[in-house]
Amino acid sequence: MPLHLGHVYAIVQASTIVDELYIVLSHSEKRDKELCKKVKMKYVESRVRLRWLHQLVKDMDHVKVIEIKDNYSNADYDWEEGSMAIKKRIGKPIDYVFSSEQEYESIFTKLYPESFHFLIDEERNTVPISATQIREEGVFKNWNFLPDVVKPHFVRKVVIVGTESCGKSTLTRNLAKIYNTSFVEEYGRTHCEKIGGCDGIMLEEDYPLIAYTHKVKEYEAIENANKIVFIDTEATVTQFYSELYNHQHQAVLDEMATLQDYDLCLYLEPDVKWVDDGLRNHGEQSLRLTNNNRLKQLLTDNNISFVPLTGDYNEKLNQSIEWIQRILKE
């Protein structure tokens, strides 16, 4: 916890030695949470770690992933009981037991007397990392030691919201450039450009389509992100436009909004000059303020906490960076 390239190296090496390889995820919520106390990495539930392993070996036909669950802590873990559960689950003779720990020699000699304990990269010369080091130092300091199947779980997600013509798109792109990472454009704008506008021609079914497509693009961007991803708008903003253009509040959009999980929500106040780009229709300042209040209320109703940003484009950029640096240190 977490899976790292040292584990990957061991798995690949072992897979070339045997006809059938079992990767055992032995886990206990109690024990695993103990490992994450007073360190720089949050607990990762077992089903996520199990998924990492399945993703990693899905093209290795002779490699199987199994999980063994118990309720022990680190202090009272029963190695014998664990080995019996492993043997029962595999159900056939075990010829090799692979690890990278010499200290396990006496334990495995006792528990697996018919098996050969095969050490792989014991000194960590090939892949100089350990899960303990990652937990203690944090995943971002050791980012290059994480497999690609693991990185998306730890990517920090920053969403930028606000009403029209407040600088969301520009800020999103600029932050992605600064942090050398991926970003998600507002799909609602893309959709409106496809149909030739927004006001008067949007249909009720357009909004869930916009929200779903935007979410898919989020997943794609997260897979390619460098520690952090920037997202222009989310489902609550789509709800706002459903109300604005079609006078309809859609329950499906609220449901999507409540299922979202962002690390930081930056809210851009409409205090920069309104720019007519051909799609915008709400430039009067009193209307901008009314819309601004309504969007904030929708976010509050969906229990989405946000950080208001004020000032010109440069001031909002620098405020954003200050907040982003905070979450990258967590």
Side-chain angles (χ1 to χ4, degrees):
M1 185 161 61
L3 176 68
H4 57 67
L5 290 182
H7 296 129
V8 175
Y9 180 77
I11 290 168
V12 173
Q13 286 284 352
S15 74
T16 66
I17 296 170
V18 297
D19 298 318
E20 192 171 31
L21 177 67
Y22 288 85
I23 304 171
V24 183
L25 177 64
S26 178
H27 64 89
S28 153
E29 183 174 347
K30 181 179 180 180
R31 182 168 63 251
D32 295 340
K33 284 186 175 179
E34 286 178 354
L35 291 174
C36 293
K37 285 183 177 178
K38 299 180 181 179
V39 295
K40 293 185 177 181
M41 197 191 89
K42 295 179 181 178
Y43 163 73
V44 182
E45 59 181 308
S46 60
R47 62 175 180 167
V48 174
R49 288 143 54 203
L50 191 67
R51 176 168 169 151
W52 290 341
L53 289 169
H54 277 281
Q55 286 179 272
L56 179 69
V57 304
K58 65 179 185 293
D59 60 344
M60 303 169 76
D61 294 337
H62 70 301
V63 179
K64 299 175 175 59
V65 180
I66 63 174
E67 63 172 326
I68 303 295
K69 180 180 179 181
D70 64 77
N71 296 306
Y72 292 108
S73 66
N74 278 314
D76 62 3
Y77 177 68
D78 191 322
W79 283 87
E80 184 171 2
E81 183 180 311
S83 68
M84 290 175 61
I86 290 171
K87 292 173 184 177
K88 181 178 179 180
R89 182 69 182 275
I90 292 176
K92 59 186 70 174
I94 298 173
D95 302 301
Y96 291 87
V97 177
F98 296 97
S99 85
S100 298
E101 306 289 348
Q102 178 63 48
E103 64 185 62
Y104 291 164
E105 180 66 32
S106 60
I107 298 174
F108 290 160
T109 297
K110 176 184 177 182
L111 300 180
Y112 302 94
E114 306 301 321
S115 309
F116 177 72
H117 180 205
F118 197 111
L119 286 165
I120 300 176
D121 199 20
E122 177 191 0
E123 302 297 327
R124 309 292 200 275
N125 292 323
T126 305
V127 187
I129 195 62
S130 70
T132 301
Q133 183 180 342
I134 294 174
R135 290 193 300 269
E136 291 178 348
E137 297 179 348
V139 292
F140 293 145
K141 187 172 182 179
N142 297 283
W143 191 251
N144 291 333
F145 285 113
L146 297 182
D148 287 343
V149 298
V150 171
K151 288 178 179 177
H153 177 81
F154 294 104
V155 167
R156 295 288 190 262
K157 299 179 285 293
V158 178
V159 64
I160 293 95
V161 301
T163 54
E164 64 179 25
S165 194
C166 59
K168 297 190 304 297
S169 299
T170 300
L171 180 60
T172 302
R173 290 193 300 268
N174 285 342
L175 289 171
K177 289 185 175 88
I178 289 173
Y179 288 91
N180 190 31
T181 190
S182 55
F183 68 96
V184 182
E185 295 181 312
E186 181 183 4
Y187 183 73
R189 167 173 288 277
T190 303
H191 185 79
C192 287
E193 289 173 347
K194 284 183 178 180
I195 65 175
C198 297
D199 197 13
I201 60 172
M202 291 286 285
L203 304 178
E204 285 75 11
E205 58 262 34
D206 286 325
Y207 300 98
L209 174 62
I210 289 170
Y212 287 132
T213 306
H214 188 86
K215 183 58 66 177
V216 170
K217 292 185 178 297
E218 279 188 29
Y219 283 116
E220 292 171 349
I222 289 169
E223 287 184 347
N224 297 298
N226 175 25
K227 302 179 183 177
I228 191 167
V229 66
F230 298 100
I231 301 161
D232 183 352
T233 75
E234 45 68 76
T236 309
V237 177
T238 306
Q239 180 78 273
F240 166 76
Y241 282 112
S242 176
E243 290 187 352
L244 187 65
Y245 288 119
N246 290 67
H247 310 292
Q248 185 178 78
H249 189 99
Q250 301 195 38
V252 64
L253 298 176
D254 279 342
E255 184 175 356
M256 290 187 68
T258 56
L259 292 173
Q260 295 173 152
D261 182 23
Y262 298 113
D263 297 285
L264 178 63
C265 178
L266 300 174
Y267 190 99
L268 305 192
E269 297 286 0
D271 50 4
V272 293
K273 184 180 178 181
W274 185 82
V275 178
D276 185 358
D277 66 351
L279 290 176
R280 297 167 180 159
N281 300 287
H282 308 91
E284 185 180 329
Q285 189 60 21
S286 61
L287 186 55
R288 294 181 79 187
L289 294 176
T290 298
N291 289 340
N292 188 52
N293 290 333
R294 179 54 185 161
L295 178 55
K296 285 183 176 180
Q297 185 60 55
L298 288 171
L299 290 167
T300 301
D301 291 345
N302 287 328
N303 296 314
I304 298 174
S305 300
F306 56 87
V307 177
L309 302 183
T310 60
D312 60 28
Y313 294 111
N314 183 253
E315 289 171 323
K316 287 176 179 173
L317 174 64
N318 289 325
Q319 291 170 44
S320 299
I321 292 171
E322 288 180 10
W323 281 98
I324 291 162
Q325 291 303 108
R326 294 183 191 182
I327 67 169
L328 288 178
K329 292 178 181 178
E330 292 178 353

